[in-house]
């Protein structure tokens, strides 16, 4: 896989640059839109004498402000995330956030207005065809009205965040994207590149990369620990002042699920752990090892595991997506053809992958760190699923485009399922075991590792209420969490104590527990795929309908429309059952080779 084969994205269709006329124009428009929404939200006379007009005007100006904010902020973040040393991009992010600060105060005023006139507003929304589609939004804002500080306090919190929790978050991103160590006498590798070597067939290479990565994180543990303490400390204080019992209560509400749903999901994840440990034990045998280390989790089975060029991955994804629906296939081809994807690994670029939307041109951009593995291919499919979700909702207003983190992972994981299942059925017999094993690698991450991250974050918040945690304490919490989920399937002396420094999700002050939504999306996506296999005729249209509803209803309501009851453990067990079948198949394959 040569570097010229791996693309960088083109942002010109959004803005030519920070100095372009269109970018400057939209910054001015954004400032005016914020002022307009603030003025309308504060119009007590209008709300009293013309409440329907007041609500329509507030919704219209808020939608405009959010569209412009998302477009500008996404562009600045795209520029920053491929080069975290770009001070111009950093300054633009700060400037955009500064302009957005009054929105927080205006939303407090708007919610107070909704609350003060709630009986009248609810009647108007029910009777108005134009406003009826915003009923869910109105009720959600009324809920958050009970969990907000005063207008002055929310304004101050938003202003301080730019140089507080958000700055701590950017510190983690900057360190994780630039931290590097010598690999040999002539070459350095970033921690992102070192983590990619976890897929190397040579165990000595994996072990060396793991050791260097752990050492690299240890060298930066103090500033990163300060960053994590800063982010979580801010979250603890704000949740308390907003009358949330815990960060998890807030995250559950942000996910638009019930506590009963989360409890059922976590309980089934916990009871499924022996299944995944059985898979890891079989993999240990397949690799000819006595015990699996953390750096063996992604080890390929066989030294001749296929390496994909980016163009091969592109053709494969488009072909499989087209097999599901022409609409999805054409969309993926457009994303590739119009350079929406930045897949090249390079110094200064953030690790992992993400998809981000630009509402004004109706486009998305995808960041990935493509490494030529099938897992790298499925990551592209995953992010294209997010982008397709955005495409389905592109004609909706900003309010109705917003969907929770649980449903955010549904389209992405469904697209992964398309690629995996079609790859498994169409691959030559010699390649099928490797594809099956990659699926189990990924699901182990989404269930077992995600559960460890969930437990770590629970412990972190419990301890952070009492004070700051040292790097050693953070490492100890992480090791305890990993032991609780991986159990004896991994060598307890060779876990990853610095996963708290690696995962950027821990450093998002506005969004805690961005871990369980992946498990939600995995199991819901598998349930949808099972429906597709049972009744493929017309399913793409039904699937699109589900995605269309994600911004205007709770996750419970959206999934109920698909025929599922996510508050029951049996729903989640159905997804685990599918995975268990694959574990059985894998274990039988290993046994047949005589290595178990």
């Amino acid at each position: 896989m040569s570097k010229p084969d791996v693309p960088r994205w083109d942002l010109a269709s959004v803005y030519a640059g920070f100095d372009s006329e269109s970018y400057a124009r939209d910054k001015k428009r954004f400032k005016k839109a914020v002022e307009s929404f603030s003025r309308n939200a504060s119009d007590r006379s209008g709300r009293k004498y013309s409440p329907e007009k007041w609500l329509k005007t507030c919704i219209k100006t808020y939608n405009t402000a959010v569209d412009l904010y998302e477009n500008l902020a996404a562009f600045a973040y795209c520029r920053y995330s491929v080069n975290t040393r770009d001070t111009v991009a950093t300054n633009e992010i700060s400037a955009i956030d500064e302009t957005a600060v009054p929105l927080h105060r205006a939303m407090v005023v708007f919610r107070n207005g909704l609350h003060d006139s709630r009986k009248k507003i609810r009647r108007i929304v029910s009777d108005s065809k134009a406003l009826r589609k915003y009923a869910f939004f109105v009720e959600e804002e009324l809920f958050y009205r009970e969990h907000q500080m005063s207008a002055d306090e929310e304004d101050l919190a938003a202003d301080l965040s730019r140089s507080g929790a958000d700055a701590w978050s950017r510190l983690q991103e900057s360190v994780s994207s630039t931290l590097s160590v010598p690999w040999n006498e002539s070459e350095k590798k970033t921690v992102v590149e070192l983590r990619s070597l976890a897929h190397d067939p040579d165990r000595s290479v994996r072990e060396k990369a793991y050791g260097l990565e752990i050492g690299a994180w240890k060298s930066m543990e103090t500033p990163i620990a300060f960053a994590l303490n800063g982010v979580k400390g801010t979250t603890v204080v704000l949740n308390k002042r907003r009358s949330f019992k815990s960060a998890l209560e807030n995250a559950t509400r942000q996910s638009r699920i019930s506590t009963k749903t989360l409890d059922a999901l976590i309980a089934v994840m916990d009871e499924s752990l022996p299944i995944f440990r059985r898979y890891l034990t079989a993999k240990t045998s397949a690799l000819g090892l006595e015990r699996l280390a953390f750096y063996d989790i992604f080890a390929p089975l066989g030294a001749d595991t296929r390496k994909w060029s980016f163009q091969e991955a592109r053709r494969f994804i488009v072909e499989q997506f087209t097999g599901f629906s022409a609409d999805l296939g054409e969309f993926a081809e457009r994303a590739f053809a119009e350079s929406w994807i930045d897949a090249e690994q390079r110094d200064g670029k953030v690790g992992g992958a993400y998809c981000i939307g630009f509402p004004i041109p109706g486009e998305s951009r995808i960041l990935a760190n493509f490494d030529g593995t099938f897992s790298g291919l499925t990551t592209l499919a995953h992010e294209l699923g997010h982008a397709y979700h955005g495409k389905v909702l592109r004609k909706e207003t900003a309010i109705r485009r917003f969907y929770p983190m649980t449903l955010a992972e549904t389209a992405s994981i469904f697209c992964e399922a398309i690629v995996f299942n079609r790859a498994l059925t169409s691959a030559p017999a010699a390649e099928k075991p490797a594809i099956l094993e990659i699926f189990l690698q990924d699901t182990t991450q989404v269930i077992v590792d995600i559960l460890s991250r969930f437990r770590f974050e629970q412990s972190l918040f419990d301890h952070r209420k009492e004070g700051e945690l040292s790097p050693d304490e953070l490492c100890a919490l992480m090791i305890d969490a990993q032991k609780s989920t991986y159990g004896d399937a991994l060598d307890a002396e060779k876990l990853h104590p610095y996963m708290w420094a690696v995962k950027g999700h821990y450093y998002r002050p506005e969004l805690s527990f961005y871990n369980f939504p992946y498990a939600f999306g995995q199991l819901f996506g598998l349930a949808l795929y099972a429906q597709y296999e049972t009744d493929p005729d017309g399913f793409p249209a039904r699937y699109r309908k589900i995605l269309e509803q994600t911004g205007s209803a709770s996750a419970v309501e959206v999934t109920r429309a698909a025929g599922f009851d996510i508050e029951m453990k049996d729903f989640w067990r159905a997804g685990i059952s599918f995975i268990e079948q694959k574990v059985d198949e894998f274990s039988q394959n290993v046994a047949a080779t005589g290595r178990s």
Side-chain angles (χ1 to χ4, degrees), residues 292-340:
L292 214 62
F294 197 90
Y295 53 79
D296 295 317
I297 292 174
F298 298 106
L301 296 183
D304 59 345
T305 300
R306 177 176 179 179
K307 278 288 185 180
W308 297 74
S309 72
F310 188 83
Q311 292 305 318
E312 287 173 333
R314 169 182 176 170
R315 287 191 294 271
F316 186 80
I317 289 171
V318 171
E319 180 182 348
Q320 309 319 318
F321 280 12
T322 302
F324 172 73
S325 77
D327 181 49
L328 181 59
E330 289 168 3
F331 172 78
E333 178 55 38
R334 180 191 176 195
F336 284 111
E338 296 184 8
S339 300
W340 287 10

Side-chain angles (χ1 to χ4, degrees), residues 28-48 53-62 64-65 102-110 113:
K28 291 179 181 178
R29 290 177 61 207
F30 175 49
K31 188 174 187 297
K32 289 181 179 179
V34 171
E35 292 169 350
S36 180
F37 174 66
S38 299
R39 185 171 56 253
N40 292 327
S42 303
D43 183 7
R44 293 185 179 182
S45 177
R47 175 166 54 83
K48 180 178 180 180
K53 181 180 178 182
W54 173 81
L55 183 57
K56 286 180 177 178
T57 303
C58 285
I59 287 174
K60 181 179 179 180
T61 52
Y62 180 72
T64 299
L103 270 179
H104 297 274
R105 181 187 183 90
M107 278 304 293
V108 173
V109 174
F110 173 67

Side-chain angles (χ1 to χ4, degrees), residues 508-521:
R508 297 182 64 174
E510 81 289 355
L511 201 60
S512 303
F513 290 97
Y514 204 153
N515 34 57
F516 69 80
Y518 285 100
F520 183 108

